[in-house]
Amino acid sequence: RLLAELVGQFQAGTTEPRLEATVRSNHASVSLQIARLAKQGDDAAGCAEALEHAQASIERTREIAALLQDPRIDAFADVHAAERALLCGEHDSALALLEGAVAHADAAGLWAHARQLRLLEAEALQSRGDSSAALALLQAVGERLDDGHELGARIRYHSQLQRALAARGNSADALLHFERARSLAQYRQYRQARAQSRFLRARLELEHLYRYRAESSAAWPSTQPDELN
């Protein structure tokens, strides 16, 4: 909701395009996560709405990248555009977007984005039925993926590897990666819940402080100094 409000402020006019690019990129990312969850829950309307919001932010991010001549901003948009195409079922379009995007991200020094693009490429290959190519790509990604990397990338890696292995008939290893993906997803939910709990606690403490000050001010009315005769 906060990102949506910020996007609305930029639509009314902004003087800082680089800040808008950051907000737009984050808005696209969150919208795509919502779209993916809605699609998994068979909520077609919710998915379509989230994809529409994501597309608007992707297009604006592209405009800012061209304005500033910043390849890093464009690399963010590559990730989001490819994921949007995948969620729309446009596997060939996604692969076409991804073809040069990995090199683009590598050239910009965005190693995490290059990894994310390769995971998306594996998903597109898997969705198109090419499990062998998807498995080979995922195994290459796994060689450079460790416990210190971002949780979302690790969850996606294990989920995609589970699908590829299951498609190749390796049920035992597929089950191991399914369990690993589920454990990481549960841990992410725990972290999100803990962060929300801390936020709510801090908010309640502030509200209590403001209420205490208001009550103290009411109990001690201000007095005017006596006028000098």
Side-chain angles (χ1 to χ4, degrees), residues 47-59:
C47 181
E49 182 182 10
L51 288 173
E52 183 179 350
H53 291 317
Q55 180 63 16
S57 282
I58 291 168
E59 290 175 357

Side-chain angles (χ1 to χ4, degrees), residues 7-203:
V7 167
Q9 291 180 11
F10 286 124
Q11 288 173 340
T14 179
T15 57
E16 182 46 66
R18 198 170 294 278
L19 174 60
E20 183 183 359
T22 300
V23 172
R24 287 284 187 177
S25 183
N26 288 331
H27 180 253
S29 178
V30 170
S31 296
L32 290 168
Q33 290 178 40
I34 293 171
R36 184 176 289 272
L37 291 171
K39 186 174 183 179
Q40 291 171 353
D42 294 325
D43 183 357
C47 181
E49 182 182 10
L51 288 173
E52 183 179 350
H53 291 317
Q55 180 63 16
S57 282
I58 291 168
E59 290 175 357
R60 179 56 183 154
T61 303
R62 295 276 198 209
E63 292 173 0
I64 296 172
L67 174 68
L68 300 178
Q69 293 293 299
D70 191 330
R72 294 175 66 87
I73 295 175
D74 213 23
F76 279 92
D78 286 339
V79 174
H80 299 141
E83 182 155 13
R84 181 191 173 279
L86 272 177
L87 289 170
C88 291
E90 302 167 357
H91 308 132
D92 292 336
S93 296
L95 286 169
L97 282 167
L98 291 163
E99 186 174 352
V102 174
H104 188 183
D106 284 337
L110 296 171
W111 317 123
H113 281 74
R115 180 172 57 248
Q116 188 77 355
L117 288 165
R118 290 186 175 95
L119 290 171
L120 287 170
E121 184 178 359
E123 183 177 349
L125 289 168
Q126 179 68 27
S127 298
R128 202 174 65 172
D130 195 349
S131 58
S132 296
L135 183 59
L137 183 57
L138 288 166
Q139 288 171 339
V141 170
E143 293 175 358
R144 301 182 62 180
L145 189 68
D146 57 43
D147 291 343
H149 288 132
E150 195 262 330
L151 262 177
R154 290 155 59 196
I155 292 170
R156 178 165 289 183
Y157 164 74
H158 288 290
S159 296
Q160 292 302 321
L161 197 53
Q162 178 261 324
R163 289 182 60 197
L165 289 167
R168 301 292 296 166
N170 189 343
S171 300
D173 286 343
L175 181 59
L176 290 174
H177 286 283
F178 171 78
E179 292 292 344
R180 183 57 177 158
R182 185 174 66 172
S183 296
L184 289 171
Q186 289 173 339
Y187 176 62
R188 181 169 62 180
Q189 289 176 343
Y190 155 73
R191 287 179 54 178
Q192 290 171 344
R194 185 178 63 176
Q196 290 172 352
S197 175
R198 288 177 174 175
F199 170 77
L200 289 172
R201 184 174 62 188
R203 181 174 178 177

Side-chain angles (χ1 to χ4, degrees), residues 223-228:
T223 57
Q224 296 294 330
D226 294 334
E227 294 184 1
L228 296 176

